[in-house]
């Protein structure tokens, strides 16, 4: 991102290649033009440049340096939000977006609930046979992670292979759900999970196998969950390491709906995206015990 911004003439420094990053603003904004970015690691780099592009003094072309991109659905979500505020973005090819120099206009804008957070509640329904009214139907979400619902509703008959490339933040939820599925589940297209808040592929394999040795294994960048519906109802004292990752904490809490004695270490890490998570579970009748 730093390298990309420099090509647009923006004065930005990151001496160590890591934060802190210093950006020196210019009263006249930036000129616009062509900027190249590798979107294979994450679509967030593309979205950031697109949002900024509308404020250039001339059109900005955001060009991928390769054909691969992370969850492209999030770029589509970005451009739709930009359009609501008056921006114009065209997508002349799979690797190019052109942003007109329109600026933005204030408007009323409805923000839908967080689909990534909703996956935990959808999975809780599936695991317990319950029903939770989120106030928004699953099919009304436009966020990519809402695609997970199409799989969750199939539980305990999840498909043998699930491509997670376009719903990456939902994979921890689905992986824990898969532990109680009738048959094994392989998760593919999830290499980018290795560069999230932690290496989520390794974390999921490690922590699921704490519950039962061999319950999940890494095979290259794939995650294979062996699945064992017979686990349900057992007392399997397990201390789940969260790696300071909110999604590991929230997804493994779901295992506690089917097993006794699951302990989530560092539960406070959920504050990053869902600070009310534990209260939400308690309000649904889940019994929680604070060891602190």
């Amino acid at each position: 991102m730093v390298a990309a911004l420099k090509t647009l003439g923006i004065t930005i420094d990151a001496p160590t290649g890591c934060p802190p990053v210093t950006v020196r603003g210019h009263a006249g904004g930036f000129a616009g033009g062509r900027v190249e970015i590798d979107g294979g690691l994450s679509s967030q780099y593309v979205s950031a440049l697109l949002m900024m592009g509308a404020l250039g003094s001339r059109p900005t072309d955001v060009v991928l340096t390769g054909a691969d991109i992370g969850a492209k659905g999030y770029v589509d979500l970005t451009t739709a939000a930009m359009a609501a505020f008056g921006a114009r973005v065209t997508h002349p090819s799979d690797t190019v977006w052109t942003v007109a120099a329109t600026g933005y206009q204030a408007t009323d804008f409805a923000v839908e609930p967080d689909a990534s957070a909703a996956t935990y509640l959808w999975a809780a329904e599936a695991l317990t046979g319950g029903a939770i009214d989120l106030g928004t139907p699953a099919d009304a979400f436009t966020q990519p992670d809402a695609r997970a619902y199409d799989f969750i509703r199939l539980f305990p008959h999840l498909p043998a292979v699930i491509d997670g490339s376009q719903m990456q933040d939902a994979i921890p939820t689905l992986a824990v759900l898969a532990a109680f599925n009738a048959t094994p589940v392989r998760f593919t297209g999830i290499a980018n999970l290795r560069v999230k808040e932690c290496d989520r592929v390794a974390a999921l394999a490690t922590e699921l196998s704490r519950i039962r040795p061999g319950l999940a294994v890494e095979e290259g960048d794939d995650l294979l969950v062996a699945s064992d519906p017979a686990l349900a109802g057992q007392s399997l004292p397990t201390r789940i390491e969260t790696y300071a990752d909110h999604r590991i904490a929230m997804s493994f809490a779901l295992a506690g709906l089917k097993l006794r004695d699951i302990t989530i270490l560092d539960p406070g890490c959920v504050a990053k995206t869902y600070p009310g998570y534990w209260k939400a579970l308690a309000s649904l009748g889940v019994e929680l015990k604070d060891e602190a």
Side-chain angles (χ1 to χ4, degrees):
M1 180 59 72
V2 171
L5 291 174
K6 284 183 177 179
T7 68
L8 290 171
I10 293 170
T11 305
I12 179 170
D13 298 302
T16 67
C18 299
V21 178
T22 301
V23 182
R24 292 174 177 83
H26 302 280
F30 73 102
R34 177 186 173 97
V35 59
E36 296 184 350
I37 191 71
D38 181 352
L41 187 64
S42 173
S43 64
Q44 294 182 36
Y45 299 113
V46 179
S47 288
L49 292 170
L50 289 172
M51 288 188 288
M52 188 185 74
L55 298 173
S57 58
R58 60 190 172 99
T60 299
D61 290 326
V62 179
V63 182
L64 296 181
T65 56
D68 293 334
I69 190 171
K72 185 178 180 296
Y74 284 105
V75 176
D76 296 336
L77 204 66
T78 298
T79 57
M82 290 171 62
F85 287 90
R88 294 198 310 271
V89 183
T90 57
H91 191 26
S93 74
D94 289 343
T95 58
V96 178
W97 290 262
T98 298
V99 187
T102 57
Y104 291 107
Q105 298 174 353
T107 190
D108 291 331
F109 186 79
V111 180
E112 68 186 45
D114 182 354
S116 304
T119 65
Y120 308 114
L121 301 175
W122 290 333
E125 285 185 319
L127 287 167
T128 63
I132 303 171
D133 182 2
L134 300 184
T136 301
D139 60 4
F141 284 86
T142 62
Q143 298 157 68
D145 277 357
R147 297 176 186 177
Y149 181 79
D150 292 335
F151 294 101
I152 292 171
R153 65 185 179 84
L154 299 176
F155 179 82
H157 302 292
L158 300 176
V161 178
I162 294 178
D163 180 355
S165 61
Q166 299 303 311
M167 51 178 182
Q168 296 172 12
D169 283 347
I171 295 305
T173 305
L174 290 169
V176 172
L177 191 65
F180 303 96
N181 196 51
T183 52
V185 180
R186 177 182 294 275
F187 294 92
T188 65
I190 59 172
N192 281 13
L193 265 65
R194 294 198 183 279
V195 291
K196 298 292 185 176
E197 282 79 345
C198 71
D199 180 341
R200 287 179 179 163
V201 179
L204 288 165
T206 299
E207 301 310 313
L208 283 170
S209 291
R210 287 190 201 276
I211 293 173
R212 195 211 71 190
L215 185 56
V217 296
E218 299 173 70
E219 293 188 354
D221 285 325
D222 291 357
L223 178 71
L224 178 61
V225 180
S227 303
D228 186 357
L231 290 172
Q234 294 189 37
S235 176
L236 297 172
T238 308
R239 297 173 66 82
I240 300 296
E241 176 61 59
T242 57
Y243 309 92
D245 189 330
H246 54 136
R247 303 217 179 277
I248 297 300
M250 290 188 282
S251 60
F252 273 91
L254 299 172
L257 301 178
K258 301 294 281 186
L259 303 170
R260 295 190 298 278
D261 301 315
I262 295 292
T263 299
I264 305 297
L265 303 177
D266 186 23
C269 68
V270 303
K272 179 170 184 178
T273 53
Y274 198 165
Y277 183 66
W278 305 113
K279 288 184 178 179
L281 291 185
S283 74
L284 295 168
V286 178
E287 293 185 11
L288 304 169
K289 180 182 178 181
D290 190 349
E291 290 191 351

